Amino acid sequence: MANKIALIVGPGHAGLGQAMAEQLGAQGYTIALMGRQAEPLADLVKVLSGEGVTAFSMAADAADPTSVTKALATISAQGSLQLVHYNATQRTKNKPSQLTAALVAESLASNLLGAITVTNLSLPYVEKTGNGVFLYTGSVVAAKPGPTDVEQAIGKAGLRDYVVALNKELHAQGVFAGMVTINTYIRQGKAGHMDPTVIARAFIELATQKNAAEVQYH
């Protein structure tokens, strides 16, 4: 039987990507990490390997179809892609009055367009499993934008609408798509609801129960 693989796109530095990798690894997944910068990905692979989690990484730009296609070819050579978690995001501090179309387009590459690109190109692989899962990291800023996170808010609001519609479409194909909208900060090493390990459990629960297109995490 082929290895079952979980792809985490944009594991980041806040700890959620690592927590997801640890919990999925405990379920027997081989973890594939994708992000723009190779060095932090390689460092995370070392951490996971030290914990007994089988993992590998590849540098790729989620919004670039050619880059993602190459990464998926590497993944498919390692096993069966069954779960994709899009965790990438970009938060800038430009105020609404400072925005330009170019600035918004740049931030959308991470906050929305990358998710669409990764989903489209991953879907043929995930469909083959018969019960594949797509997970997306949402944020409270989508509903409550502030003057210093408006670009992220625009992207996350679009991502939320995309995921809800995607969930309805893919249901008939036996594929689940869902989002956990995080209504708090992520603080690695802080006990309680801000702990990325606790937050990750909400994603794992959603992937298991598949009972909602969006879950609000508080």
Side-chain angles (χ1 to χ4, degrees):
M1 181 181 293
N3 292 331
K4 60 179 185 179
I5 296 179
L7 169 62
I8 300 175
V9 182
H13 61 272
L16 180 57
Q18 179 177 336
M20 285 293 295
E22 290 167 346
Q23 293 182 35
L24 289 168
Q27 294 184 0
Y29 283 92
T30 292
I31 306 301
L33 303 174
M34 181 192 298
R36 290 180 180 176
Q37 299 181 4
E39 186 173 348
L41 294 176
D43 289 343
L44 182 52
V45 168
K46 291 179 182 178
V47 171
L48 294 171
S49 297
E51 297 173 343
V53 176
T54 302
F56 63 97
S57 64
M58 66 224 87
D61 182 348
D64 175 24
T66 300
S67 185
V68 174
T69 297
K70 290 180 179 178
L72 289 171
T74 299
I75 292 170
S76 65
Q78 301 291 324
S80 172
L81 180 58
Q82 299 189 12
L83 185 148
V84 177
H85 178 197
Y86 191 87
N87 187 57
T89 192
Q90 179 178 330
R91 182 171 185 259
T92 55
K93 295 185 178 181
N94 296 309
K95 295 179 181 179
S97 61
Q98 299 171 329
L99 289 185
T100 64
L103 285 172
V104 174
E106 181 180 351
S107 64
L108 282 177
S110 291
N111 294 324
L112 175 59
L113 303 182
I116 294 172
T117 299
V118 168
T119 302
N120 287 346
L121 295 175
S122 299
L123 185 56
Y125 296 94
V126 176
E127 276 183 314
K128 294 177 183 179
T129 68
N131 61 347
V133 174
F134 287 92
L135 298 173
Y136 305 83
T137 301
S139 172
V140 63
V141 300
K144 298 179 180 179
T148 60
D149 54 24
V150 63
E151 289 168 82
Q152 186 187 34
I154 291 169
K156 290 295 187 180
L159 181 63
R160 188 262 176 194
D161 290 346
Y162 170 72
V163 173
V164 171
L166 184 69
N167 175 276
K168 295 176 181 178
E169 178 189 359
L170 297 186
H171 176 74
Q173 302 173 39
V175 178
F176 175 77
M179 166 184 282
V180 175
T181 295
I182 301 173
N183 291 271
T184 185
Y185 294 103
I186 304 174
R187 293 289 185 264
Q188 197 164 20
K190 184 178 179 66
H193 72 287
M194 295 184 185
D195 183 348
T197 300
V198 177
I199 298 173
R201 291 178 195 147
F203 285 87
I204 300 298
E205 183 177 331
L206 179 59
T208 301
Q209 296 184 357
K210 302 177 181 178
N211 57 353
E214 181 185 20
V215 170
Q216 297 286 338
Y217 176 88
H218 296 272

